[in-house]
């Protein structure tokens, strides 16, 4: 404890040791950074999936920085190993999966999952199917792995068209199907049970990208993610949907991961598993652990609040405008108008962003932060009603 307090006290030293001019310049820059980051704490922030972070997690960031252990040598850090195991087993239970680990973001998780899919294949296909709203990290992953991504059309709500997926599989069986639980563009959740059933029929891997929508599993009454426990792999980002600082992402699997073949890392006590991450430590999960210390209901009630604000926002738009709206269960609301609606100014202020549904531009409002309030977003939009 005393070492950590000494470290925290020493944080101000680099500033105190500077010449006066450099000190005030550094302070100005620090203030500008604080002001820039406070965007996420504004009640009108709904531009992207970066939440206002849950304050206890800052303690976790400090702890992780001070600890700096590397889990490539787990035998040296039994405390860190225990905490990671506790968290992973909680997530495994939540998602109905059997093992997994933390990683740096869902771009990495998606690549790792498709890597396992490719090397586990019992069919010779190189095709990966996912909806046209699939996150671009899946397409990047396919390019890296020598696979071919083919986009399947979505319905009016942005969910994958199951009829089209089924037809495509009959035409050419895939090596994997990627279902998205909470698309980046509109928050839509693909019908998971149907996607998984089709994947099984064709002996294909089914990966669920639940980077954004996975948090819904915290709500006992939710039904949107039914069937997720049948997926071969699932990823989820607490750094998007649970108020956590980046990087905090998890990848979970149904089957145990193999060891990495053909690697001789004789300086390590344990041979590495077939995962993408190299060095990592508490920075990936100690902030989340601190957030959960008090009780898990805090994150659940923040999520309930966000979803309620999204519902309220949607209801108000429907009552007060004739705009076409797109509501999702995961906290993203999109809209467009038949007349010209130039919201570039609000886009610059972080109130909303642009996106596409079925190839057509829509405005997107993301309820990622538990500080975002429907009423304040409506106030920003009212001049355009
Ligand atoms: C559905 C989905 N999957 C994957 C990603 C990639 O996540 P990251 O930016 O953490 O790598 C995103 C990012 O927005 C996403 O929305």
């Amino acid at each position: 404890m005393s070492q950590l307090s000494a470290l925290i006290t020493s944080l101000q030293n680099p500033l105190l040791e500077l010449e006066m001019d450099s000190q005030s310049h550094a302070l100005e820059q620090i203030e500008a950074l604080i002001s820039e980051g406070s965007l996420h704490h504004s009640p009108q922030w709904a531009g992207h999936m970066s939440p206002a972070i849950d304050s206890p997690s800052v303690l976790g960031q400090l702890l992780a920085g001070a600890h700096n252990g590397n889990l490539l040598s787990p035998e040296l850090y039994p405390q860190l190993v225990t905490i990671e195991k506790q968290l992973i087993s909680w997530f495994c239970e939540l998602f109905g999966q059997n093992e997994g680990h933390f990683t740096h973001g869902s771009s990495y998780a998606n690549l790792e999952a498709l890597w396992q899919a490719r090397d586990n294949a019992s069919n010779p296909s190189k095709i990966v199917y996912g909806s046209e709203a699939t996150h671009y990290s899946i397409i990047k992953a396919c390019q890296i792995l020598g696979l071919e991504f083919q986009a399947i059309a979505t319905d009016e709500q942005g969910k994958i068209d199951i009829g089209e997926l089924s037809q495509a599989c009959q035409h050419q069986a895939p090596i994997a199907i990627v279902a998205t639980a909470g698309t980046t563009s509109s928050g839509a959740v693909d019908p998971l049970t149907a996607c998984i059933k089709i994947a099984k029929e064709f002996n294909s891997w089914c990966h669920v990208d639940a980077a954004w929508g996975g948090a819904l599993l915290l709500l006992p009454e939710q039904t949107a993610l039914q069937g997720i426990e049948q997926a071969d792999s699932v990823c989820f980002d607490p750094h998007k949907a649970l108020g956590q600082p980046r990087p905090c992402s998890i990848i979970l699997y149904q089957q145990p991961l193999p060891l990495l073949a053909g690697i001789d890392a004789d300086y390590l006590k344990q041979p590495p598993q077939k995962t993408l991450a190299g060095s990592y430590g508490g920075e990936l999960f100690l902030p989340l652990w601190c957030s959960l210390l008090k009780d898990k209901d805090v994150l659940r009630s923040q999520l309930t609040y966000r979803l309620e604000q999204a519902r309220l926002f949607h209801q108000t738009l429907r009552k007060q405008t004739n705009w076409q709206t797109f509501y999702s269960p995961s906290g993203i609301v999109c809209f467009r108008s038949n007349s010209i609606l130039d919201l570039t100014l609000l886009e610059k202020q972080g109130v909303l962003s642009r996106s596409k549904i079925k190839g057509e531009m829509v405005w997107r409002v993301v309820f990622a932060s538990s500080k975002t309030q429907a009423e304040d977003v409506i106030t920003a939009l009212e001049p355009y009603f």
Side-chain angles (χ1 to χ4, degrees), residues 101 124 153 198 268 270 289 310 333 353 366 372 374 382:
H101 58 89
I198 296 175
L268 297 177
Q270 300 185 10
W289 179 68
V333 180
S353 45
V366 186
T372 304
E382 251 162 0

Side-chain angles (χ1 to χ4, degrees), residues 49 105-108 110 135 137 180 182 184 209 211-212 237 239-240:
M49 291 171 176
S106 277
S107 298
Y108 298 90
N110 284 335
H135 189 260
S137 57
T180 308
T184 322
D209 178 349
W212 165 246
D237 282 351
H239 68 212
K240 294 182 172 61

